[in-house]
Amino acid sequence: IELAKKNKMEFYTANPQDAFPNVLEEYKKEMKENNWDFGQDDEELFELAMHDRQYRDYKSGIAKKRFEEELEKAKAAQQAPQETAAPKVSLSKEESKEQMFSYLCKKYPNAKPVVATASGTLLWEIDVVDKSIAPVPGKKYKENDTFAFIQTYYGNEEIILPYEGTLVDTCLCQGTTIKKGDVIAWIE
């Protein structure tokens, strides 16, 4: 009060809620007109009163449309590398893995598989400045080079190459969930 007087201001002693118009009845009317459920304990009414624009966008479908547009833009901007062009088959996961392995063995008869050493999320590289991408076929590696990473529950594990060679193909995209023993690439 003293600070307000010192600054030649009036100290506000009324109920702050009185400064706002009571529009609760208008919100109730809007919900009834639109046949919107008030929800248990009027929580839907509360959502409309607290976030009226967002709630209307949600109910009208505008929010979903906006989200899908933003998602498509983000996907396009990311330009994630595509999976290797392999035959599309409708098999179980294990049968599909075996078919892919067989297909790539025939495609690259002199290549050796690079195998996941743990289960987790495949990270081709860890780049905090730019997007991480799979290595380009033709890239040369030496024995004991770090080839990729697997993000596990206990941290990032490096995939170290047991032999030198040239990358001929990658099998999976950045961020793919893999299991220990999965083939992720082929080195010749």
Side-chain angles (χ1 to χ4, degrees):
I1 295 172
E2 289 176 20
L3 183 61
K5 285 180 184 177
K6 180 180 175 183
N7 291 316
K8 298 179 183 171
M9 302 173 109
E10 185 180 331
F11 187 77
Y12 186 77
T13 58
N15 181 352
Q17 185 62 38
D18 295 340
F20 292 94
N22 185 354
V23 292
L24 185 60
E25 293 306 316
E26 291 175 33
Y27 286 130
K28 286 180 180 178
K29 180 181 174 190
E30 181 179 353
M31 291 195 77
K32 286 177 185 174
E33 287 172 356
N34 290 311
N35 293 321
W36 293 341
D37 184 10
F38 280 65
Q40 184 179 357
D41 299 325
D42 289 337
E43 72 268 9
E44 293 295 315
L45 175 62
F46 177 75
E47 288 296 327
L48 174 62
M50 293 300 294
H51 313 285
D52 56 354
R53 185 184 59 79
Q54 293 93 333
Y55 191 84
R56 289 181 187 115
D57 287 356
Y58 163 71
K59 287 300 220 177
S60 69
I62 292 172
K64 182 177 181 181
K65 183 180 177 189
R66 188 181 305 128
F67 168 76
E68 289 170 348
E69 288 171 357
E70 289 173 5
L71 182 62
E72 287 305 313
K73 284 180 187 175
K75 284 181 180 179
Q78 186 180 14
Q79 296 177 350
Q82 300 297 312
E83 289 187 26
T84 302
K88 299 292 181 194
V89 290
S90 56
L91 303 170
S92 74
K93 221 174 196 176
E94 287 306 312
E95 290 171 324
S96 182
K97 280 185 192 176
E98 288 175 20
Q99 177 120 0
M100 174 69 84
F101 185 80
S102 174
Y103 169 78
L104 292 171
C105 282
K106 289 175 189 170
K107 188 173 179 182
Y108 308 112
N110 299 324
K112 298 174 187 169
V114 179
V115 178
T117 54
S119 295
T121 302
L122 175 63
L123 303 174
W124 286 113
E125 57 186 1
I126 300 173
D127 191 333
V128 295
V129 177
D130 205 356
K131 69 178 181 177
S132 298
I133 58 172
V136 179
K139 184 173 180 181
K140 297 192 182 309
Y141 290 91
K142 294 178 185 168
E143 185 177 345
N144 295 322
D145 275 356
T146 298
F147 183 71
F149 302 88
I150 301 172
Q151 185 179 36
T152 67
Y153 68 92
Y154 52 83
N156 292 336
E157 183 168 313
E158 294 180 340
I159 297 177
I160 305 295
L161 286 177
Y163 37 76
E164 69 176 46
T166 303
L167 177 67
V168 292
D169 205 349
T170 56
C171 304
L172 304 168
C173 294
Q174 170 87 1
T176 302
T177 301
I178 57 175
K179 291 183 180 174
K180 183 176 182 177
D182 285 352
V183 175
I184 64 167
W186 295 85
I187 299 281
E188 210 167 44

